[in-house]
Amino acid sequence: MSTTNPSIPADVAAHVLNHYGRCGYPAGDWTADLISLIDRADMANRAKLTATFPDYGAAIALAKYDEEGIATLQRIARGEAVAVGSNPNVPF
């Protein structure tokens, strides 16, 4: 596993999957708002939010920018061991 990306817990993966309508389960109101903010933020503010909430930032980056991101998040949410490495196609 790469040390440049944080480990993404199963519940975080499930919350992000739910945000994108890909199963998972809903987060609480505050966390759902956080996911929405990271998703909609410009690059500067996304970087600030991701620095504070690295697991959610990494999960959202996977969902938005990685070709296999949704499938990876689904495996994480199911509790399967997944190595999340640095992908040059992910912008942060």
Side-chain angles (χ1 to χ4, degrees), residues 1-6 58 62 66 72 82-88 90 92:
M1 179 183 278
S2 169
T3 57
T4 60
N5 279 333
L62 273 175
D66 190 301
T72 299
V82 176
V84 179
S86 291
N87 183 332
V90 178
F92 56 93

Side-chain angles (χ1 to χ4, degrees), residues 31-51:
T31 303
D33 287 347
L34 171 67
I35 293 167
S36 180
L37 284 171
I38 295 171
D39 182 28
R40 295 180 293 124
D42 58 52
M43 287 194 69
N45 286 309
R46 184 180 310 132
K48 291 175 187 177
L49 290 166
T50 296

